[in-house]
Amino acid sequence: MKKRLAVYPGSFDPTTYGHLDIIRRSLEVFDHLIIAVAGNAEKSGLFTFEERIDLIKALVGDDPRVTIETFKGLLVDYVVSRGARVIIRGLRAVSDFEYEFQLAQTNRAIHPEVETVFMMTSVPYVYLSSSVVKTVAGLGGPVDSFVPPPVQAALEKKFADRLPR
Ligand code: ADP
């Protein structure tokens, strides 16, 4: 039987419980998930691509149904090159819709055979984003309800030298 394969792309800077929820739920629907960290340089972040990958590996790397990699260039080209036909994206508030709609339509125009599947966030994560996590952690606030312990430790390490004393 053909394995159902999906690609979950994102910045994952860093991975939050919101991302993990989408990953867990995607694996209920698909047999294999490629978590693809967007490696285009223009969206520079707090963590390097290697650090982001290492954190995702620490969280879900033991699962044989998951592959973790970085990609450069057009997402749809990458998806096709991996033999996949499905892109997973998460939707939080209505504010996500406009951007995601545009992205999905553009991707479809380039590769009509690739379908974008949206998963609604779970209620506890509706306002959770990597940016919020970085802001709170950067100001020395608690992020334990937003990110799992390995990410929390990585954030603490990142910001240790930057916090005002
Ligand atoms: P990008 O820069 O591609 O938006 P992100 O890492 O911020 O990368 O997000 C990757 C995907 O995960 C996006 O589809 C985003 O909507 C989804 N996502 C992020 N946080 C959440 C959350 N709390 N609940 C549901 N989906 C989420």
Side-chain angles (χ1 to χ4, degrees):
M1 196 185 80
K2 204 166 173 232
K3 291 259 180 208
R4 285 173 306 171
L5 172 67
V7 174
Y8 178 35
S11 307
F12 302 98
D13 185 39
T15 298
T16 69
Y17 281 130
H19 291 116
L20 290 178
D21 179 58
I22 299 289
I23 293 169
R24 182 187 59 75
R25 288 164 52 203
S26 298
L27 287 167
E28 300 282 331
V29 182
F30 295 93
D31 297 309
H32 197 96
L33 189 67
I34 301 176
I35 302 172
V37 178
N40 288 332
E42 74 260 21
K43 206 177 172 187
S44 61
L46 178 66
F47 291 96
T48 66
F49 300 122
E50 291 72 26
E51 287 170 334
R52 297 179 208 183
I53 297 254
D54 286 348
L55 280 175
I56 302 170
K57 278 188 184 151
L59 301 170
V60 293
D62 287 345
D63 193 325
R65 299 170 301 167
V66 170
T67 304
I68 304 151
E69 47 192 42
T70 183
F71 73 97
K72 283 202 167 73
L74 271 183
L75 170 64
V76 268
D77 285 344
Y78 162 76
V79 169
V80 168
S81 78
R82 301 298 280 110
R85 301 277 293 267
V86 174
I87 298 169
I88 305 272
R89 295 288 287 174
L91 281 181
R92 284 160 291 190
V94 182
S95 49
D96 275 346
F97 179 80
E98 187 92 26
Y99 172 69
E100 293 293 341
F101 186 70
Q102 193 179 23
L103 202 66
Q105 297 300 344
T106 307
N107 286 339
R108 178 180 292 154
I110 301 168
H111 279 291
E113 74 276 24
V114 174
E115 197 64 59
T116 306
V117 170
F118 293 98
M119 293 210 172
M120 296 294 164
T121 187
S122 298
V123 169
Y125 312 125
V126 70
Y127 293 117
L128 178 52
S129 68
S130 300
S131 316
V132 164
V133 167
K134 283 183 279 192
T135 304
V136 175
L139 295 168
V143 290
D144 51 303
S145 57
F146 303 147
V147 297
V151 178
Q152 202 182 329
L155 281 163
E156 277 165 17
K157 196 160 168 253
K158 248 320 155 199
F159 286 116
D161 302 332
R162 302 192 193 180
L163 284 176
R165 285 165 213 285

Coordinates of all heavy atoms in Angstrom, one line a residue, residues 41-119:
A41 N 17.6 32.4 3.7 CA 18.4 33.3 4.6 C 17.6 34.5 5.0 O 17.9 35.1 6.0 CB 19.7 33.6 3.9
E42 N 16.6 35.0 4.1 CA 16.1 36.3 4.4 C 15.3 36.3 5.7 O 15.1 37.4 6.2 CB 15.2 36.8 3.2 CG 13.9 36.1 3.1 CD 13.9 35.0 2.0 OE1 15.0 34.5 1.7 OE2 12.8 34.6 1.5
K43 N 14.8 35.2 6.2 CA 14.0 35.2 7.4 C 15.0 34.7 8.5 O 14.9 33.6 9.0 CB 12.8 34.3 7.3 CG 11.7 34.8 8.2 CD 10.4 34.0 8.1 CE 9.4 34.3 9.2 NZ 8.3 33.5 9.2
S44 N 15.9 35.6 8.9 CA 16.8 35.2 9.9 C 16.1 35.2 11.3 O 15.2 35.9 11.5 CB 18.0 36.1 9.9 OG 17.6 37.4 10.3
G45 N 16.6 34.3 12.1 CA 15.9 34.1 13.4 C 16.8 34.1 14.6 O 18.0 34.4 14.5
L46 N 16.2 33.7 15.7 CA 17.0 33.6 16.9 C 17.9 32.4 16.9 O 19.1 32.4 17.2 CB 16.0 33.5 18.1 CG 16.7 33.3 19.5 CD1 17.5 34.6 19.9 CD2 15.6 33.1 20.5
F47 N 17.4 31.2 16.5 CA 18.2 30.0 16.4 C 18.7 29.7 15.0 O 18.0 30.0 14.0 CB 17.3 28.8 16.9 CG 16.9 28.8 18.3 CD1 15.7 29.4 18.8 CD2 17.8 28.3 19.3 CE1 15.4 29.4 20.1 CE2 17.5 28.4 20.7 CZ 16.3 28.9 21.1
T48 N 19.9 29.1 15.0 CA 20.4 28.7 13.6 C 19.5 27.5 13.1 O 18.8 26.9 13.9 CB 21.9 28.3 13.7 OG1 21.9 27.1 14.5 CG2 22.8 29.3 14.4
F49 N 19.6 27.3 11.9 CA 18.9 26.2 11.3 C 19.3 24.8 12.0 O 18.4 24.0 12.2 CB 19.0 26.1 9.8 CG 18.6 27.4 9.1 CD1 19.4 28.1 8.3 CD2 17.3 27.8 9.3 CE1 19.0 29.3 7.7 CE2 16.9 29.0 8.7 CZ 17.7 29.7 7.9
E50 N 20.6 24.7 12.3 CA 21.1 23.5 12.9 C 20.4 23.3 14.3 O 20.0 22.3 14.7 CB 22.6 23.5 13.0 CG 23.3 23.3 11.7 CD 23.2 24.6 10.8 OE1 23.1 25.7 11.4 OE2 23.3 24.4 9.6
E51 N 20.4 24.5 15.0 CA 19.8 24.4 16.4 C 18.3 24.1 16.3 O 17.8 23.3 17.2 CB 20.0 25.8 17.1 CG 21.4 26.1 17.5 CD 21.6 27.5 17.9 OE1 20.9 28.4 17.5 OE2 22.6 27.8 18.7
R52 N 17.6 24.6 15.4 CA 16.2 24.3 15.2 C 16.0 22.8 14.9 O 15.1 22.2 15.5 CB 15.6 25.1 14.1 CG 15.6 26.6 14.3 CD 15.0 27.4 13.2 NE 15.6 28.7 13.1 CZ 15.3 29.6 12.2 NH1 14.3 29.4 11.3 NH2 15.9 30.8 12.1
I53 N 16.8 22.3 14.0 CA 16.7 20.9 13.7 C 17.0 20.0 14.9 O 16.3 19.1 15.2 CB 17.7 20.6 12.5 CG1 17.3 21.3 11.3 CG2 17.8 19.1 12.3 CD1 16.7 20.6 10.2
D54 N 18.1 20.4 15.6 CA 18.5 19.6 16.8 C 17.4 19.6 17.8 O 17.1 18.6 18.5 CB 19.8 20.2 17.4 CG 21.0 19.8 16.6 OD1 20.9 19.0 15.6 OD2 22.1 20.4 16.8
L55 N 16.7 20.7 18.0 CA 15.6 20.8 19.0 C 14.4 19.9 18.5 O 13.9 19.2 19.3 CB 15.1 22.2 19.2 CG 16.0 23.1 20.1 CD1 15.5 24.5 20.1 CD2 16.0 22.5 21.5
I56 N 14.1 20.0 17.2 CA 13.0 19.1 16.8 C 13.4 17.6 16.9 O 12.5 16.8 17.3 CB 12.6 19.4 15.3 CG1 12.2 20.9 15.1 CG2 11.5 18.5 14.8 CD1 12.1 21.4 13.7
K57 N 14.6 17.3 16.6 CA 15.1 15.9 16.8 C 14.9 15.5 18.3 O 14.5 14.4 18.6 CB 16.6 15.8 16.4 CG 16.7 15.6 14.9 CD 18.2 15.3 14.5 CE 18.3 15.3 13.0 NZ 19.6 15.6 12.5
A58 N 15.3 16.4 19.2 CA 15.2 16.1 20.6 C 13.7 15.8 21.0 O 13.4 15.0 21.9 CB 15.8 17.2 21.5
L59 N 12.8 16.4 20.3 CA 11.4 16.3 20.7 C 10.7 15.2 20.0 O 9.9 14.5 20.6 CB 10.6 17.6 20.3 CG 11.2 18.9 21.0 CD1 10.6 20.2 20.4 CD2 10.9 18.9 22.5
V60 N 11.0 14.9 18.7 CA 10.2 13.9 18.0 C 11.1 13.0 17.1 O 10.6 12.2 16.4 CB 9.1 14.5 17.0 CG1 8.0 15.2 17.8 CG2 9.7 15.5 16.1
G61 N 12.4 13.2 17.3 CA 13.4 12.4 16.5 C 13.4 10.9 16.6 O 13.8 10.2 15.7
D62 N 12.8 10.4 17.7 CA 12.8 9.0 17.9 C 11.7 8.3 17.2 O 11.6 7.1 17.0 CB 12.6 8.7 19.4 CG 13.8 8.9 20.2 OD1 14.9 9.1 19.6 OD2 13.8 9.0 21.5
D63 N 10.8 9.1 16.7 CA 9.6 8.5 16.0 C 10.0 8.2 14.5 O 10.3 9.0 13.7 CB 8.5 9.6 16.0 CG 7.1 9.0 15.5 OD1 7.1 8.1 14.7 OD2 6.1 9.4 16.1
P64 N 9.9 6.9 14.2 CA 10.3 6.5 12.8 C 9.4 7.0 11.7 O 9.7 7.0 10.6 CB 10.2 4.9 12.9 CG 9.3 4.6 14.0 CD 9.4 5.8 15.0
R65 N 8.2 7.6 12.1 CA 7.3 8.1 11.1 C 7.7 9.6 10.8 O 7.0 10.2 9.9 CB 5.9 8.1 11.7 CG 5.4 6.7 12.0 CD 4.0 6.8 12.7 NE 4.2 7.5 14.0 CZ 3.2 8.0 14.7 NH1 1.9 7.8 14.3 NH2 3.4 8.7 15.8
V66 N 8.7 10.1 11.4 CA 9.1 11.5 11.2 C 10.5 11.6 10.6 O 11.4 10.9 11.0 CB 9.0 12.2 12.5 CG1 9.6 13.6 12.4 CG2 7.6 12.3 13.1
T67 N 10.6 12.5 9.6 CA 11.9 12.9 9.0 C 12.0 14.4 9.2 O 11.0 15.1 9.1 CB 11.9 12.6 7.5 OG1 11.6 11.2 7.3 CG2 13.3 12.9 6.9
I68 N 13.2 14.8 9.6 CA 13.4 16.2 9.9 C 14.5 16.7 9.0 O 15.6 16.2 9.0 CB 13.8 16.4 11.4 CG1 12.8 15.8 12.3 CG2 14.0 17.9 11.7 CD1 13.3 15.3 13.6
E69 N 14.2 17.7 8.2 CA 15.3 18.3 7.3 C 15.0 19.8 7.1 O 14.0 20.3 7.4 CB 15.4 17.5 6.0 CG 14.1 17.2 5.3 CD 14.3 16.1 4.2 OE1 15.0 15.1 4.4 OE2 13.7 16.3 3.2
T70 N 16.0 20.4 6.5 CA 15.9 21.8 6.1 C 15.8 21.9 4.6 O 16.3 21.0 3.9 CB 17.1 22.6 6.7 OG1 16.9 24.0 6.3 CG2 18.4 22.1 6.1
F71 N 15.2 22.9 4.1 CA 15.1 23.0 2.6 C 15.3 24.5 2.2 O 15.1 25.4 3.0 CB 13.7 22.6 2.1 CG 12.6 23.5 2.4 CD1 12.2 24.4 1.4 CD2 12.0 23.5 3.6 CE1 11.1 25.3 1.7 CE2 10.9 24.3 3.9 CZ 10.5 25.3 3.0
K72 N 15.8 24.7 1.0 CA 16.0 26.0 0.5 C 15.2 26.1 -0.8 O 14.9 25.2 -1.4 CB 17.5 26.2 0.2 CG 18.3 26.5 1.4 CD 19.6 27.2 1.1 CE 20.3 27.8 2.3 NZ 21.0 26.8 3.1
G73 N 14.9 27.4 -1.2 CA 14.2 27.6 -2.4 C 12.7 27.4 -2.2 O 12.1 27.5 -1.1
L74 N 12.0 27.2 -3.4 CA 10.5 27.1 -3.4 C 10.0 25.9 -2.6 O 10.4 24.8 -2.9 CB 10.0 27.1 -4.8 CG 9.7 28.4 -5.5 CD1 9.2 28.1 -6.9 CD2 8.8 29.3 -4.8
L75 N 9.1 26.1 -1.7 CA 8.5 25.0 -0.9 C 7.9 23.9 -1.8 O 8.2 22.7 -1.7 CB 7.5 25.5 0.0 CG 6.6 24.5 0.7 CD1 7.5 23.6 1.6 CD2 5.5 25.1 1.5
V76 N 7.1 24.3 -2.8 CA 6.4 23.3 -3.6 C 7.4 22.5 -4.4 O 7.2 21.3 -4.6 CB 5.3 23.9 -4.6 CG1 4.0 23.9 -3.9 CG2 5.7 25.3 -5.1
D77 N 8.5 23.1 -4.9 CA 9.5 22.3 -5.6 C 10.1 21.3 -4.7 O 10.3 20.1 -5.1 CB 10.6 23.3 -6.2 CG 10.2 24.1 -7.4 OD1 9.2 23.7 -8.0 OD2 10.9 25.1 -7.7
Y78 N 10.4 21.7 -3.5 CA 10.9 20.8 -2.5 C 10.0 19.7 -2.2 O 10.4 18.5 -2.2 CB 11.3 21.6 -1.2 CG 11.5 20.7 0.0 CD1 12.7 20.0 0.1 CD2 10.5 20.6 0.9 CE1 12.8 19.2 1.2 CE2 10.7 19.8 2.1 CZ 11.8 19.1 2.2 OH 12.0 18.3 3.3
V79 N 8.7 20.0 -2.0 CA 7.7 19.0 -1.7 C 7.6 17.9 -2.8 O 7.6 16.7 -2.6 CB 6.3 19.7 -1.5 CG1 5.2 18.6 -1.5 CG2 6.3 20.5 -0.2
V80 N 7.6 18.4 -4.1 CA 7.6 17.5 -5.2 C 8.8 16.6 -5.3 O 8.8 15.4 -5.5 CB 7.3 18.3 -6.6 CG1 7.6 17.4 -7.8 CG2 6.0 18.9 -6.6
S81 N 10.0 17.3 -5.0 CA 11.3 16.5 -5.0 C 11.3 15.4 -4.0 O 12.0 14.4 -4.2 CB 12.4 17.5 -4.8 OG 12.6 17.8 -3.5
R82 N 10.5 15.5 -2.9 CA 10.5 14.5 -1.9 C 9.4 13.5 -2.2 O 9.2 12.6 -1.3 CB 10.3 15.2 -0.5 CG 11.3 16.2 -0.1 CD 12.7 15.6 0.0 NE 13.0 14.9 1.2 CZ 13.1 13.6 1.4 NH1 13.0 12.8 0.3 NH2 13.3 13.0 2.5
G83 N 8.7 13.6 -3.3 CA 7.7 12.6 -3.6 C 6.4 12.8 -2.8 O 5.6 11.9 -2.7
A84 N 6.2 14.0 -2.3 CA 5.0 14.3 -1.5 C 4.0 15.1 -2.3 O 4.4 15.8 -3.3 CB 5.4 15.0 -0.2
R85 N 2.7 15.0 -1.9 CA 1.7 15.8 -2.5 C 0.9 16.7 -1.6 O 0.0 17.3 -2.0 CB 0.7 14.8 -3.2 CG 1.3 13.9 -4.2 CD 1.4 14.5 -5.6 NE 0.1 14.8 -6.2 CZ -0.5 14.0 -7.0 NH1 0.1 12.8 -7.4 NH2 -1.7 14.3 -7.5
V86 N 1.3 16.6 -0.3 CA 0.5 17.3 0.7 C 1.4 18.2 1.6 O 2.4 17.7 2.0 CB -0.3 16.3 1.6 CG1 -1.0 17.1 2.8 CG2 -1.3 15.5 0.8
I87 N 0.9 19.5 1.7 CA 1.6 20.4 2.6 C 0.7 20.6 3.8 O -0.5 20.9 3.6 CB 1.8 21.8 2.0 CG1 2.8 21.6 0.8 CG2 2.4 22.8 3.0 CD1 2.9 22.9 -0.1
I88 N 1.2 20.5 5.0 CA 0.4 20.7 6.2 C 0.7 22.1 6.7 O 1.8 22.5 6.8 CB 0.7 19.8 7.4 CG1 0.6 18.3 7.0 CG2 -0.1 20.1 8.6 CD1 -0.7 17.7 7.1
R89 N -0.4 22.9 7.0 CA -0.2 24.2 7.7 C -1.2 24.3 8.8 O -2.3 23.7 8.8 CB -0.4 25.3 6.7 CG 0.6 25.4 5.6 CD 2.0 25.9 6.0 NE 2.0 27.3 6.3 CZ 3.1 27.9 6.8 NH1 4.2 27.2 7.1 NH2 3.1 29.2 7.1
G90 N -0.8 25.0 9.9 CA -1.7 25.2 11.0 C -2.4 26.6 10.9 O -1.8 27.5 10.3
L91 N -3.6 26.7 11.4 CA -4.3 27.9 11.4 C -4.7 28.3 12.8 O -5.3 27.5 13.5 CB -5.6 27.8 10.6 CG -5.5 28.0 9.0 CD1 -6.9 27.9 8.4 CD2 -4.8 29.3 8.6
R92 N -4.3 29.5 13.2 CA -4.7 29.9 14.6 C -5.9 30.9 14.4 O -7.0 30.5 14.1 CB -3.5 30.6 15.2 CG -2.5 29.6 15.7 CD -1.1 30.3 15.9 NE -0.5 30.6 14.6 CZ 0.7 31.0 14.5 NH1 1.5 31.1 15.5 NH2 1.1 31.3 13.3
A93 N -5.7 32.1 14.7 CA -6.8 33.1 14.6 C -7.0 33.4 13.1 O -6.3 33.0 12.3 CB -6.4 34.4 15.4
V94 N -8.1 34.2 12.9 CA -8.4 34.6 11.5 C -7.3 35.3 10.9 O -7.1 35.2 9.7 CB -9.7 35.5 11.6 CG1 -10.1 35.9 10.2 CG2 -10.8 34.8 12.3
S95 N -6.5 35.9 11.7 CA -5.3 36.7 11.1 C -4.4 35.8 10.3 O -3.6 36.3 9.5 CB -4.6 37.4 12.3 OG -4.3 36.5 13.3
D96 N -4.3 34.5 10.6 CA -3.5 33.6 9.8 C -4.0 33.4 8.4 O -3.3 33.1 7.5 CB -3.4 32.3 10.5 CG -2.3 32.2 11.6 OD1 -1.5 33.1 11.6 OD2 -2.3 31.2 12.3
F97 N -5.3 33.6 8.3 CA -6.0 33.1 7.1 C -5.5 33.8 5.8 O -5.2 33.1 4.8 CB -7.5 33.3 7.2 CG -8.3 32.9 6.0 CD1 -8.5 31.6 5.7 CD2 -8.6 33.8 5.0 CE1 -9.2 31.2 4.6 CE2 -9.3 33.4 3.8 CZ -9.6 32.1 3.6
E98 N -5.4 35.1 5.8 CA -5.1 35.9 4.6 C -3.8 35.4 4.0 O -3.7 35.1 2.8 CB -5.0 37.4 5.0 CG -4.8 38.3 3.8 CD -6.1 38.8 3.3 OE1 -7.1 38.9 4.1 OE2 -6.2 39.2 2.1
Y99 N -2.8 35.4 4.9 CA -1.4 35.0 4.5 C -1.4 33.5 4.0 O -0.8 33.2 2.9 CB -0.5 35.2 5.6 CG 0.9 34.6 5.4 CD1 1.8 35.2 4.5 CD2 1.4 33.5 6.1 CE1 3.1 34.7 4.3 CE2 2.7 33.0 5.9 CZ 3.5 33.6 5.0 OH 4.7 33.1 4.8
E100 N -2.0 32.7 4.7 CA -2.0 31.2 4.3 C -2.8 31.0 3.0 O -2.4 30.1 2.2 CB -2.6 30.4 5.5 CG -1.8 30.4 6.7 CD -0.5 29.6 6.6 OE1 -0.3 28.9 5.6 OE2 0.4 29.9 7.4
F101 N -3.9 31.8 2.8 CA -4.7 31.6 1.6 C -3.9 32.0 0.4 O -3.8 31.3 -0.6 CB -5.9 32.6 1.8 CG -6.9 32.4 0.7 CD1 -7.7 31.3 0.5 CD2 -7.1 33.5 -0.3 CE1 -8.6 31.2 -0.5 CE2 -8.0 33.4 -1.3 CZ -8.8 32.2 -1.4
Q102 N -3.1 33.1 0.5 CA -2.3 33.6 -0.5 C -1.2 32.6 -0.8 O -0.9 32.3 -2.0 CB -1.7 34.9 -0.1 CG -1.0 35.7 -1.2 CD -0.4 37.0 -0.6 OE1 -0.1 37.1 0.6 NE2 -0.2 38.0 -1.4
L103 N -0.6 32.1 0.2 CA 0.5 31.1 0.1 C 0.0 29.8 -0.6 O 0.6 29.3 -1.6 CB 1.0 30.7 1.5 CG 2.4 30.1 1.6 CD1 3.4 31.2 1.3 CD2 2.6 29.7 3.1
A104 N -1.2 29.3 -0.2 CA -1.7 28.1 -0.8 C -2.1 28.3 -2.2 O -1.8 27.4 -3.1 CB -2.9 27.7 0.1
Q105 N -2.6 29.5 -2.5 CA -3.0 29.7 -3.9 C -1.8 29.8 -4.8 O -1.8 29.3 -6.0 CB -3.9 31.0 -4.1 CG -5.2 31.0 -3.3 CD -6.1 29.9 -3.8 OE1 -5.9 29.3 -4.9 NE2 -7.1 29.6 -3.0
T106 N -0.8 30.5 -4.3 CA 0.5 30.6 -5.1 C 1.1 29.3 -5.3 O 1.5 28.9 -6.4 CB 1.5 31.5 -4.3 OG1 0.8 32.8 -4.0 CG2 2.7 31.8 -5.2
N107 N 1.2 28.5 -4.3 CA 1.7 27.1 -4.4 C 0.9 26.3 -5.4 O 1.5 25.5 -6.2 CB 1.8 26.4 -3.0 CG 2.9 27.0 -2.1 OD1 3.8 27.6 -2.6 ND2 2.8 26.9 -0.8
R108 N -0.4 26.4 -5.4 CA -1.2 25.7 -6.3 C -1.0 26.1 -7.7 O -1.0 25.3 -8.6 CB -2.7 25.8 -5.9 CG -3.6 25.1 -6.9 CD -5.0 25.2 -6.6 NE -5.3 24.5 -5.3 CZ -6.3 24.8 -4.5 NH1 -7.1 25.8 -4.9 NH2 -6.6 24.2 -3.4
A109 N -0.8 27.4 -7.9 CA -0.5 27.9 -9.3 C 0.8 27.3 -9.8 O 0.9 27.1 -11.0 CB -0.4 29.4 -9.2
I110 N 1.8 27.1 -9.0 CA 3.0 26.5 -9.4 C 3.0 25.0 -9.6 O 3.4 24.5 -10.6 CB 4.2 26.9 -8.4 CG1 4.2 28.4 -8.3 CG2 5.5 26.4 -8.9 CD1 5.1 28.9 -7.1
H111 N 2.4 24.3 -8.6 CA 2.3 22.9 -8.7 C 0.8 22.5 -8.3 O 0.6 22.2 -7.2 CB 3.3 22.2 -7.8 CG 4.6 22.1 -8.3 ND1 5.0 21.3 -9.4 CD2 5.8 22.7 -8.0 CE1 6.3 21.4 -9.6 NE2 6.8 22.3 -8.8
P112 N -0.1 22.4 -9.3 CA -1.5 22.2 -9.0 C -1.7 20.8 -8.3 O -2.7 20.6 -7.7 CB -2.2 22.2 -10.4 CG -1.2 22.9 -11.3 CD 0.1 22.7 -10.7
E113 N -0.8 19.9 -8.5 CA -1.0 18.6 -7.9 C -0.7 18.5 -6.4 O -1.0 17.5 -5.7 CB -0.2 17.5 -8.7 CG 1.3 17.5 -8.4 CD 2.1 18.6 -9.2 OE1 1.5 19.5 -9.7 OE2 3.3 18.4 -9.4
V114 N -0.1 19.6 -5.9 CA 0.2 19.6 -4.5 C -0.9 20.3 -3.7 O -1.3 21.4 -4.0 CB 1.5 20.4 -4.2 CG1 1.8 20.5 -2.7 CG2 2.7 19.6 -4.9
E115 N -1.5 19.6 -2.7 CA -2.6 20.1 -1.9 C -2.1 20.6 -0.6 O -1.3 20.0 0.1 CB -3.6 19.0 -1.7 CG -5.0 19.4 -1.3 CD -5.7 20.2 -2.4 OE1 -5.9 19.8 -3.5 OE2 -6.1 21.4 -2.0
T116 N -2.7 21.8 -0.2 CA -2.3 22.3 1.2 C -3.5 21.9 2.1 O -4.7 22.1 1.8 CB -2.2 23.8 1.2 OG1 -1.2 24.2 0.3 CG2 -1.7 24.3 2.6
V117 N -3.2 21.2 3.2 CA -4.2 20.8 4.2 C -4.0 21.6 5.5 O -2.9 21.7 6.0 CB -4.0 19.3 4.5 CG1 -4.9 18.9 5.7 CG2 -4.3 18.4 3.3
F118 N -5.1 22.2 5.9 CA -5.0 23.1 7.1 C -5.5 22.4 8.3 O -6.6 21.7 8.3 CB -5.8 24.4 6.9 CG -5.1 25.2 5.8 CD1 -5.6 25.2 4.5 CD2 -4.0 26.0 6.1 CE1 -5.0 26.0 3.5 CE2 -3.4 26.8 5.2 CZ -3.9 26.8 3.9
M119 N -4.8 22.5 9.4 CA -5.3 22.0 10.7 C -5.6 23.2 11.6 O -4.7 24.0 11.8 CB -4.3 21.1 11.3 CG -4.1 19.8 10.5 SD -3.7 18.4 11.6 CE -3.8 17.1 10.3

